[in-house]
Amino acid sequence: MGVPQTMEALRERADFIKESLQKSQIITDNMAAILGSFDHRLSALETAMRPTQIRTHSIRRAHENIDKTLKAAEVILSQFDLTRKAEAKILRGPHEDLESYLEAIDQLRSNVKFFSSNKSFKSSDGVLNHANQLLAKAISKLEEEFRQLLTNYSKPVEPDRLFECLPNSLRPSSSSGSPRKHGNDNSKSPTEHQGKSLENAVYTLPTLIPPRVIPLLHDLAQQMVQAGHQQQLFRIYRDTRASVLEQSVRKLGVERLSKDDVQKMQWEVLEAKIGNWIHYMRIAVKLLFAGEKKLCDQILDGVDSLRDQCFAEVTVNSVSVLLSFGEAIAKSKRSPEKLFVLLDMYEIMRELQSEIELLFGSKACIEMRDSALSLTKRLAQTAQETFCDFEEAVEKDATKTAVLDGTVHPLTSYVINYVKFLFDYQSTLKQLFQEFDASDPDAQLTSVTTRIMQALQNNLDGKSKQYKDPALTQLFLMNNIHYIVRSVRRSEAKDLLGDDWVQIHRRTVQQHANQYKRVSWAKILQCLSVQGGGSGSGGGIGGDGSASGISRAAVKDRFKTFNVQFEELHQRQSQWTVPDSELRESLRLAVAEVLLPAYRSFQKRFGPMIENGKNPQKYIRYSPEDLDHMMNEFFEGKTWNEQKR
């Protein structure tokens, strides 16, 4: 294609585009005119519609306000309805349905809160006054209901029921109606005998109020607290439970005794009362007080300050009565026999100390806790002072009771039994020593025991000087020291005093036995010696039995003197006593081993001089066998009449 043709084609296309653009402008102008016309019409329509729109919005807002008002009225009416229903339940009282009654009180409180926050309500003040009056009446009825429930179900616990709550080892024997007593049979209380077994003993808390009633009492208490009636609740609970607890303690046998009351009592009566008090303390703390604590915690759960104060006020009088008896004993006149009951009392207070601190651990109970601790320390102090008194009393005992037969003195057996009992209290004594002295308690116990033994020996030395016969003096000391040594060897005191102490005192016994033989038999043995004036190997009587510077008359006189002296010794020393059979036989044998050989020798040598004369039996009255037989009657404690028979 040539250039002219191409140019022509481009011209045609340009003309076509120009024509199209002109048509598009015309259409655009026409559309703009139409739209302008619409805008004018809409503006006029909007102006015409505005009053209608305003009325419609007002109507919508009116409807919304009406809905809100209706809903508010409905809520208020529902509160009125709930108040009416609650009032009906409250007027019926809590007896029929306590749970529903408590719900009604909660509803009333809710209503009061509602109307208090809706003061704009025209009649809110009147409604509030009515609701508050109704609430006050409801709480008053609750107080009465709480008092009646607590009173009706609070009964003193009978002793038999309490005994059933104890471990088997602590229950009364079937033949007695009271706990085992610390009586005249010197039986020890369970604390000493069972020691560690009691540490794991199971105590069953008594049921003070039926379990089904406790939740009701708890709910009632909560309502009273919410109503601000804590003091009314406190007074009701304290007065009711304190009275019942005090009755339980009295039924058990506890009585308030003063120092003067204690001082006037006979020892046997007082000892029994102390034994009972030990059991009463255990029962009171582990059962009654622990039961009261649990009950108080359950009923007053969530009201800590009131709960602690209530428990303190409920128990204070009962605790005071129990502790006052202990104080009276601790302050009464000291005497040796009181040491063991003081230790028993100290033991029970130590045993219960951790439980007392747990039960009476709150600030409200601090006085009772301190009183119990004070009693424990006072008992320890009195026991230690009594211990010291005993040591001094042993040393200075001036009993004039004469032991005519030289046997073991009552003081000796008393002191030894006393020391044996002390060893039943070893752990208690060591604890007691540590109350006042931090040094080794074993060493302290050894020192005290040694001093008591020495005090006893010092006293026995003094008593031995009462005898006019020096042989009886030695026999008396031999018997008593032997009794001490034998008792120590058979008891725990041996471990404390040691083998050296035992051996030293065994030698002392032997020394007194040797002294007895020397003092008692030296003179009679002189009659059997080959010399007239004493023991010697020189002349006097010939070794062949012939007279060698001694006449037949002198030999007769020797036999007569021997007979008189031996009969006198037999008569006197058969009335003396060596109570230990082994020691008695040993002493007889020791004398016989010296006397009989000497007599046989003398009779063999000089007997023929008498036998060939007149009336030989007048001088040679006894054969060696007769003497041996008579020796077996020595130290039997026979009276003169028994010997003649």
Side-chain angles (χ1 to χ4, degrees):
M1 182 184 295
V3 174
Q5 291 177 333
T6 302
M7 292 296 294
E8 185 62 29
L10 287 172
R11 191 180 292 110
E12 289 176 359
R13 288 185 180 180
D15 291 339
F16 176 76
I17 291 170
K18 183 178 179 180
E19 184 180 350
S20 295
L21 286 172
Q22 288 174 347
K23 289 180 179 180
S24 176
Q25 183 63 46
I26 293 169
I27 291 170
T28 299
D29 292 341
N30 290 337
M31 184 58 70
I34 292 169
L35 288 173
S37 174
F38 271 116
D39 183 56
H40 177 74
R41 291 178 182 177
L42 284 172
S43 177
L45 180 61
E46 182 179 351
T47 301
M49 288 287 292
R50 187 170 290 116
T52 304
Q53 288 174 341
I54 292 171
R55 283 196 299 274
T56 301
H57 181 67
S58 299
I59 292 170
R60 187 181 301 113
R61 288 190 63 183
H63 275 290
E64 288 175 356
N65 289 335
I66 291 169
D67 286 341
K68 288 180 180 178
T69 302
L70 288 173
K71 286 179 180 179
E74 186 178 348
V75 171
I76 291 170
L77 289 172
S78 69
Q79 290 294 325
F80 273 114
D81 186 51
L82 291 171
T83 302
R84 181 181 56 78
K85 290 178 180 178
E87 182 176 9
K89 291 179 181 179
I90 286 167
L91 292 176
R92 282 197 299 270
H95 297 293
E96 293 182 9
D97 185 352
L98 180 59
E99 186 176 354
S100 178
Y101 188 86
L102 295 177
E103 289 175 356
I105 290 177
D106 285 338
Q107 184 59 60
L108 264 183
R109 286 202 177 96
S110 176
N111 293 345
V112 167
K113 185 177 181 181
F114 173 81
F115 287 115
S116 296
S117 60
N118 288 276
K119 289 289 188 178
S120 59
F121 175 60
K122 188 175 181 181
S123 303
S124 63
D125 289 343
V127 173
L128 272 174
N129 289 336
H130 178 69
N132 280 322
Q133 289 173 5
L134 194 58
L135 194 56
K137 185 183 293 185
I139 297 301
S140 177
K141 288 186 177 183
L142 271 190
E143 282 184 24
E144 187 57 35
E145 182 70 8
F146 182 82
R147 179 184 285 106
Q148 286 187 5
L149 270 178
L150 192 63
T151 302
N152 291 343
Y153 288 103
S154 291
K155 304 295 179 187
V157 187
E158 295 297 328
D160 286 346
R161 277 183 57 207
L162 289 171
F163 299 155
E164 289 171 1
C165 297
L166 293 169
N168 289 333
S169 59
L170 291 176
R171 292 181 186 178
S173 58
S174 57
S175 60
S176 66
S178 60
R180 296 177 184 129
K181 295 177 175 61
H182 186 107
N184 296 332
D185 59 354
N186 290 327
S187 60
K188 305 285 289 170
S189 72
T191 305
E192 302 92 56
H193 275 318
Q194 291 149 5
K196 295 197 174 183
S197 65
L198 282 181
E199 292 178 8
N200 302 317
V202 177
Y203 294 80
T204 306
L205 292 184
T207 301
L208 302 180
I209 286 180
R212 62 183 175 80
V213 181
I214 292 176
L216 299 178
L217 289 168
H218 171 263
D219 291 344
L220 289 169
Q222 291 293 319
Q223 292 290 346
M224 292 172 68
V225 170
Q226 288 182 38
H229 289 214
Q230 290 96 329
Q231 286 306 307
Q232 293 90 322
L233 172 62
F234 170 73
R235 284 194 296 271
I236 294 170
Y237 191 93
R238 176 199 61 193
D239 295 347
T240 305
R241 288 307 308 169
S243 173
V244 170
L245 177 61
E246 288 164 29
Q247 291 178 61
S248 298
V249 170
R250 279 198 301 272
K251 281 177 172 284
L252 192 59
V254 178
E255 53 186 332
R256 187 184 289 275
L257 294 173
S258 67
K259 176 184 171 183
D260 291 338
D261 295 330
V262 166
Q263 207 64 53
K264 293 174 185 175
M265 283 185 189
Q266 293 184 349
W267 169 241
E268 291 77 9
V269 175
L270 182 60
E271 187 180 26
K273 286 187 179 295
I274 292 170
N276 285 338
W277 179 85
I278 290 168
H279 291 279
Y280 298 157
M281 277 299 300
R282 185 181 285 112
I283 289 171
V285 172
K286 289 186 174 289
L287 299 180
L288 288 174
F289 297 159
E292 286 294 343
K293 185 74 166 70
K294 180 181 178 182
L295 181 66
C296 198
D297 288 348
Q298 289 175 325
I299 293 177
L300 301 177
D301 181 36
V303 196
D304 291 352
S305 58
L306 189 63
R307 180 185 63 194
D308 293 339
Q309 189 64 37
C310 273
F311 176 70
E313 293 287 337
V314 165
T315 54
V316 62
N317 287 340
S318 297
V319 170
S320 174
V321 170
L322 280 161
L323 296 184
S324 68
F325 178 80
E327 289 285 349
I329 297 296
K331 293 176 182 177
S332 64
K333 185 178 179 181
R334 300 193 301 271
S335 61
E337 66 270 14
K338 283 184 182 176
L339 177 59
F340 300 109
V341 293
L342 285 167
L343 292 174
D344 286 336
M345 295 172 75
Y346 175 71
E347 275 185 347
I348 191 63
M349 293 305 296
R350 290 284 307 174
E351 177 191 327
L352 299 174
Q353 184 170 326
S354 60
E355 197 140 6
I356 289 172
E357 289 177 353
L358 184 65
L359 288 173
F360 301 98
S362 68
K363 186 177 180 181
C365 299
I366 191 169
E367 287 188 14
M368 286 180 281
R369 188 170 69 253
D370 288 349
S371 294
L373 183 60
S374 173
L375 174 58
T376 305
K377 289 187 176 298
R378 183 179 289 276
L379 287 168
Q381 181 179 354
T382 306
Q384 186 172 36
E385 290 169 353
T386 304
F387 210 178
C388 296
D389 290 347
F390 176 69
E391 182 184 333
E392 184 178 352
V394 171
E395 178 98 41
K396 297 182 178 179
D397 177 73
T399 306
K400 297 299 183 182
T401 304
V403 182
L404 299 177
D405 60 357
T407 189
V408 176
H409 196 280
L411 176 67
T412 303
S413 56
Y414 174 73
V415 171
I416 292 301
N417 286 333
Y418 202 92
V419 171
K420 284 181 180 178
F421 269 121
L422 286 177
F423 278 91
D424 288 336
Y425 291 88
Q426 277 194 74
S427 60
T428 305
L429 284 169
K430 290 173 186 176
Q431 181 66 52
L432 185 144
F433 291 147
Q434 289 182 306
E435 295 269 3
F436 309 99
D437 190 339
S439 61
D440 180 13
D442 288 312
Q444 291 186 67
L445 187 56
T446 300
S447 175
V448 168
T449 307
T450 304
R451 292 201 308 269
I452 290 175
M453 292 299 191
Q454 188 58 53
L456 175 58
Q457 290 178 66
N458 293 343
N459 190 282
L460 291 172
D461 284 339
K463 284 181 167 49
S464 72
K465 293 178 173 58
Q466 297 175 0
Y467 298 107
K468 295 179 180 179
D469 190 330
L472 188 55
T473 293
Q474 298 302 321
L475 194 79
F476 171 79
L477 290 172
M478 179 196 73
N479 278 329
N480 282 270
I481 303 299
H482 178 268
Y483 180 85
I484 294 170
V485 172
R486 187 189 63 176
S487 299
V488 167
R489 289 178 65 195
R490 295 177 178 178
S491 72
E492 295 177 75
K494 180 184 177 183
D495 297 331
L496 208 62
L497 296 174
D499 289 332
D500 289 346
W501 187 96
V502 171
Q503 292 305 321
I504 288 170
H505 287 79
R506 287 182 71 179
R507 287 196 292 272
T508 302
V509 173
Q510 189 59 51
Q511 288 167 7
H512 287 302
N514 292 337
Q515 284 288 86
Y516 156 78
K517 287 189 295 181
R518 185 186 64 79
V519 171
S520 188
W521 295 94
K523 187 176 180 181
I524 196 171
L525 287 172
Q526 287 178 0
C527 295
L528 302 178
S529 67
V530 293
Q531 289 188 344
S535 60
S537 58
I541 298 177
D544 59 354
S546 61
S548 176
I550 186 169
S551 64
R552 184 187 299 272
V555 172
K556 288 181 179 179
D557 188 59
R558 290 280 193 93
F559 272 108
K560 283 177 66 177
T561 302
F562 174 84
N563 293 337
V564 170
Q565 289 184 0
F566 183 79
E567 287 167 2
E568 183 184 329
L569 284 172
H570 176 265
Q571 178 186 337
R572 188 166 65 251
Q573 296 196 23
S574 293
Q575 297 178 59
W576 296 357
T577 300
V578 177
D580 184 81
S581 59
E582 290 184 12
L583 182 60
R584 184 169 61 246
E585 289 305 316
S586 172
L587 195 60
R588 286 172 180 168
L589 182 60
V591 173
E593 285 177 345
V594 175
L595 179 68
L596 295 182
Y599 185 76
R600 283 193 182 97
S601 176
F602 187 84
Q603 189 182 48
K604 182 178 179 181
R605 291 182 179 183
F606 304 110
M609 294 176 64
I610 306 300
E611 291 168 357
N612 294 332
K614 294 180 181 180
N615 300 319
Q617 66 278 7
K618 180 179 178 181
Y619 304 101
I620 306 176
R621 293 183 185 177
Y622 306 107
S623 68
E625 290 72 27
D626 292 333
L627 295 180
D628 190 31
H629 175 73
M630 293 175 74
M631 286 291 299
N632 288 331
E633 295 179 347
F634 277 56
F635 319 127
E636 290 286 354
K638 292 182 178 180
T639 64
W640 175 240
N641 289 332
E642 287 176 320
Q643 292 179 52
K644 288 195 294 184
R645 288 200 298 271

